[in-house]
């Protein structure tokens, strides 16, 4: 060791190519069995991580100042490669229908192989919080072999004050090694796969192997909180959230591409967060300290807040192409993937909450991108309908969003987040229903997808109309509208709303071929019914009765 200097009571390590940054002296990498390392860089800030990323050839700086990286053949998460240790803690409580098993011995072997793999390597470590509410947060330490991964997770989770790092002792440890190739026979992964995410809830360890997609790290924290928080009377939720200046908060549930980030980034409301939250006795709270926005077709005119947060120093771009000479990002280019992303801290949004917390919500919105074009732009749900649609978690995938996908496919992801649910969906649904009932919350279903025909024939729902309807729902004026009962889904749809094209509220009127509309709507109703069969034995008769049923031939 060359030496160490004091900085306000903290030790800033300056070992020659061994350790730099700020950490808890009593809990270094060796405490986790990571020995023989070339170097560990602790809790570095954006400027230093930029330098390491560029020096290592991991990423480049683009016009505006963001750090841009490509993730290779993995341009999204690999949910089929996520495995959970089957042990005494998890055996009887995990939702094994939605989770793959790994034995304790296989995980121990994989952890030992990880420790051997990092010998002689340089790692980057970040000490962070998952959860803005101190009563429910978890202390997370993330080791990465890429500097840009370290910046990504630093921007996405909650950063402790520098004085807190001196005593930071992790509760959850994540090691992310894209260069580690898992062996299915040794580690229990999928045959033929070069990727594996392994979770040990008992020892609170996550191992990420073979993927450069940074989103695996943040979703591992979310999955962990989804396991532990229900026992503390907190429902973890895959949703964005904002709050009015009068203190009335709202939640926006939705799968990728439905508008969680876009619609919660409202200049007239305070942003709590764009992706993951908890709802407990104290109200709602963000799990994260940053946003992870999709950037495909991003424009300053349509999404000025996200544009400004993305095109600046400190933002991390994933798989966004750029001009090799000018380095100007091309957000319209989906040649690498439609899942282009920007990661940035919440304080890049001017009207973002600094606490990450708010009171109990007044409104809950379920977002669906209906590519079949038959759902209305907004509908009011009864409490039982809300649980039915929460457990259904419907949206639709369209050609180009996934490799090999042609046309339109329905996607039902229960609780709007099936890949992240360690426990049975009914656990989360029961807790959500409890809070919705206790706090008399209004629940709305919003179609941010297509109208006038299926994807490829109809048009995308006008964002202006969606924002107008959401504003009316959040300010309470929409409750005073006249409603009709949708003949296919049974929920209440307003008959007219100021500022919204009248025919949009009657989906069949936006189609030229009314018979084709009826056929498509009936087919979607049948998809809902078929999908929900697997949940029927775990719900009340009232929730089963909230299923869509065609009541008349056509509108």
């Amino acid at each position: 060791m060359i030496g160490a200097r004091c900085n306000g009571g903290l030790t800033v390590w300056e070992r020659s190519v061994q350790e730099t940054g700020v950490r808890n002296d009593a809990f270094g990498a060796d405490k986790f069995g990571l020995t023989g390392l070339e170097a560990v860089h602790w809790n570095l800030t954006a400027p230093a991580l930029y330098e390491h990323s560029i020096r290592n050839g991991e990423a480049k700086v683009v016009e505006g100042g963001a750090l841009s990286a490509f993730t290779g053949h993995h341009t999204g998460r690999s949910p089929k490669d996520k495995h959970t240790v089957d042990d005494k803690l998890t055996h009887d409580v995990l939702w094994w229908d939605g989770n793959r098993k790994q034995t304790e011995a296989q995980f121990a072997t994989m952890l030992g192989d990880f420790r051997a793999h990092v010998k002689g390597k340089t790692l980057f470590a970040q000490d962070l919080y998952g959860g803005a509410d101190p009563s429910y947060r978890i202390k997370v330490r993330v080791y990465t072999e890429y500097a840009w991964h370290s910046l990504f997770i630093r921007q996405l989770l909650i950063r402790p004050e520098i004085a807190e790092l001196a005593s930071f002792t992790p509760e959850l440890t994540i090691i992310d090694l894209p260069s580690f190739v898992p062996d299915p026979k040794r580690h229990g992964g999928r045959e033929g796969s070069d990727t594996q995410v392994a979770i040990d809830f008992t020892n609170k360890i996550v191992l990420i192997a073979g993927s450069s997609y940074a989103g695996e790290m943040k979703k591992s924290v979310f999955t962990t909180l989804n396991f532990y928080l229900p026992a503390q009377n907190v429902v973890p939720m895959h949703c964005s959230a904002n709050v009015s200046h009068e203190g009335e908060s709202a939640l926006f549930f939705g799968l990728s591409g439905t508008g969680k980030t876009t619609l919660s980034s409202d200049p007239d409301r305070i942003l709590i967060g764009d992706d993951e939250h908890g709802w407990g006795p104290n109200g709602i709270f963000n799990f994260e300290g940053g946003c992870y926005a999709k950037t495909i077709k991003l424009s300053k005119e349509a999404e000025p807040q996200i544009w400004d947060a993305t095109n600046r120093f400190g933002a991390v771009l994933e798989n966004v192409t750029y001009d090799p000479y000018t380095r100007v990002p091309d957000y319209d280019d989906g040649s690498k993937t439609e899942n282009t992303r920007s990661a940035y801290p919440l304080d890049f949004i001017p009207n973002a909450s600094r606490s990450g917390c708010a009171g109990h919500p007044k409104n809950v919105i379920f977002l669906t991108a209906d590519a079949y074009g038959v759902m209305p732009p907004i509908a009011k749900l009864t409490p039982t309908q809300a649980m039915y649609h929460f457990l259904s978690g419907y949206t639709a995938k369209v050609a180009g969003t996934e490799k090999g996908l042609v046309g339109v496919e329905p996607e039902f992801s229960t609780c709007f987040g099936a890949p992240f649910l360690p426990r049975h969906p009914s656990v989360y649904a029961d807790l959500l229903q409890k809070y919705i009932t206790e706090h008399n919350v209004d629940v709305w279903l919003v179609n941010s997808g297509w109208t006038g025909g299926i994807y490829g024939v109809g048009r995308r729902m006008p964002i202006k109309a969606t924002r107008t309807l959401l504003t009316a729902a959040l300010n309470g004026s929409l409750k005073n509208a006249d409603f009709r009962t949708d003949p296919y889904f049974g929920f209440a749809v307003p008959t007219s709303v100021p500022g919204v094209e009248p025919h949009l509220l009657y989906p069949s009127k936006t189609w030229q071929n009314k018979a084709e509309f009826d056929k498509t709507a009936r087919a979607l109703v049948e998809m809902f019914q078929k999908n929900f069969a697997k949940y029927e034995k775990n719900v009340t008769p009232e929730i089963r009765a909230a299923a869509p049923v065609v009541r008349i031939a056509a509108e």
Side-chain angles (χ1 to χ4, degrees):
M1 184 177 75
I2 289 179
R5 59 185 173 83
C6 290
N7 180 16
L10 297 171
T11 302
V12 181
W13 293 89
E14 294 179 337
R15 298 182 185 181
S16 177
V17 296
Q18 292 179 1
E19 291 196 84
T20 63
V22 179
R23 69 156 168 89
N24 179 354
D25 296 350
F27 208 94
D30 58 312
K31 294 292 185 181
F32 194 72
L34 301 179
T35 59
L37 299 168
E38 174 69 18
V40 185
H41 300 295
W42 295 92
N43 298 303
L44 298 188
T45 59
L49 291 170
Y50 264 61
E51 291 172 354
H52 282 285
S53 298
I54 295 165
R55 186 183 302 121
N56 297 339
E58 301 170 3
K60 293 185 181 296
V61 180
V62 295
E63 176 68 25
L67 189 68
S68 180
F70 295 100
T71 62
H73 67 288
H74 286 293
T75 57
R77 290 178 296 99
S78 300
K80 293 180 180 179
D81 291 307
K82 188 170 78 172
H83 296 73
T84 305
V85 174
D86 179 8
D87 60 13
K88 184 177 180 181
L89 176 66
T90 61
H91 185 75
D92 294 326
V93 299
L94 229 73
W95 180 42
W96 292 114
D97 288 348
N99 290 271
R100 294 173 181 266
K101 294 183 179 181
Q102 183 181 34
T103 67
E104 293 177 80
Q106 288 167 339
F107 186 90
T109 298
M110 190 171 178
L111 178 58
D113 290 347
F114 259 53
R115 287 168 170 157
H117 185 78
V118 299
K119 290 185 183 296
K121 289 184 176 294
T122 293
L123 294 182
F124 299 86
Q126 292 287 339
D127 291 328
L128 303 158
Y129 293 130
D133 187 332
S135 301
Y136 305 109
R137 69 174 33 150
I138 189 169
K139 294 179 178 179
V140 186
R141 175 167 288 176
V142 185
Y143 292 100
T144 67
E145 61 178 324
Y146 291 165
W148 81 265
H149 275 186
S150 192
L151 178 60
F152 171 93
I153 201 64
R154 178 179 176 82
Q155 306 297 51
L156 261 293
L157 293 186
I158 298 170
R159 299 185 294 272
E161 296 294 331
I162 191 169
E164 298 176 74
L165 296 174
S167 58
F168 192 99
T169 302
E171 298 165 304
L172 171 67
T173 302
I174 298 173
I175 310 179
D176 189 338
L177 302 179
S179 67
F180 184 95
V181 180
D183 180 343
K185 291 184 173 57
R186 284 177 61 81
H187 308 134
R190 282 195 308 143
E191 201 66 44
S193 175
D194 62 355
T195 301
Q196 189 169 347
V197 178
I199 303 177
D200 180 347
F201 285 122
T202 297
N203 296 298
K204 296 188 175 73
I205 301 170
V206 178
L207 306 176
I208 302 172
S211 175
S212 296
Y213 184 68
E216 295 284 14
M217 292 182 287
K218 85 180 214 86
K219 288 307 184 187
S220 296
V221 178
F222 184 43
T223 301
T224 301
L225 291 170
N226 278 339
F227 181 77
Y228 288 104
L229 287 182
Q232 300 178 63
N233 205 25
V234 174
V235 54
M237 304 171 295
H238 187 212
C239 69
S240 58
N242 64 25
V243 61
S244 71
H245 293 282
E246 293 72 39
E248 295 180 347
S249 63
L251 303 176
F252 300 78
F253 287 85
L255 300 173
S256 178
T258 57
K260 289 196 315 300
T261 299
T262 298
L263 295 173
S264 59
S265 296
D266 185 331
D268 296 323
R269 294 172 66 86
I270 300 166
L271 179 67
I272 303 297
D274 82 323
D275 198 37
E276 301 166 2
H277 293 79
W279 186 359
N282 302 332
I284 63 172
F285 61 98
N286 195 356
F287 288 168
E288 301 183 306
C291 296
Y292 194 32
K294 291 191 77 169
T295 60
I296 194 70
K297 308 299 183 186
L298 177 66
S299 71
K300 187 174 181 63
E301 294 71 31
E303 300 172 277
Q305 289 188 321
I306 297 174
W307 175 273
D308 290 342
T310 294
N311 292 280
R312 61 176 287 183
F313 181 86
V316 180
L317 305 186
E318 278 186 312
N319 300 312
V320 175
T321 62
Y322 51 83
D323 184 285
Y325 176 69
T326 64
R327 300 278 183 92
V328 174
D330 184 355
Y331 297 112
D332 293 329
D333 186 348
S335 60
K336 294 287 184 183
T337 176
E338 292 280 324
N339 189 37
T340 54
R341 295 276 184 168
S342 170
Y344 49 84
L346 268 169
D347 58 20
F348 280 17
I349 301 293
N351 60 325
S353 167
R354 295 301 179 258
S355 70
C357 300
H360 300 287
K362 186 176 181 180
N363 290 278
V364 166
I365 294 95
F366 295 156
L367 298 168
T368 178
D370 176 26
Y372 292 95
V374 299
M375 282 195 163
I378 197 165
K380 193 173 190 306
L381 306 182
T382 66
T384 52
Q385 287 173 337
M387 288 305 100
Y388 182 92
H389 285 277
F390 180 67
L391 285 167
S392 296
Y394 166 70
T395 193
K397 297 181 288 187
V398 299
T401 57
E402 288 187 5
K403 185 177 180 180
L405 178 60
V406 178
V408 178
E409 286 186 8
E411 181 176 12
F412 292 94
S413 185
T414 187
C415 307
F416 297 97
F420 324 118
L421 304 184
R423 298 181 184 272
H424 192 276
S426 62
V427 172
Y428 309 99
D430 289 346
L431 264 175
L432 183 65
Q433 184 175 29
K434 170 191 168 186
Y435 281 117
I436 285 174
T437 302
E438 282 183 4
H439 299 285
N440 195 28
V441 178
D442 290 321
V443 183
W444 308 87
L445 182 70
V446 170
N447 175 19
S448 60
W450 277 259
T451 184
I454 65 170
Y455 170 79
V457 177
R459 60 169 174 152
R460 194 75 190 254
M461 193 70 70
I463 185 68
K464 183 178 178 182
T466 302
R467 288 197 181 278
T468 299
L469 291 166
L470 278 174
T471 297
L474 298 182
N475 68 25
S477 63
L478 191 56
K479 288 199 295 184
N480 299 321
D482 292 326
F483 288 83
R484 64 180 178 85
T485 300
D486 184 273
Y488 298 93
F489 293 92
F491 39 48
V493 181
T495 57
S496 66
V497 177
V500 177
E501 302 168 53
H503 63 285
L504 284 178
L505 297 166
Y506 293 82
S508 66
K509 293 182 180 181
T510 66
W511 284 55
Q512 290 186 347
N513 189 325
K514 302 301 188 286
E516 192 63 27
F517 172 86
D518 180 62
K519 178 182 176 182
T520 306
R522 287 171 179 270
L524 184 56
V525 166
E526 187 175 339
M527 292 176 204
F528 267 90
Q529 294 168 343
K530 183 178 179 180
N531 170 74
F532 202 79
K534 57 181 169 286
Y535 305 119
E536 288 184 344
K537 66 180 181 181
N538 297 106
V539 302
T540 64
E542 291 78 14
I543 293 175
R544 290 197 294 271
V549 177
V550 178
R551 290 158 175 80
I552 59 174
E555 288 186 271

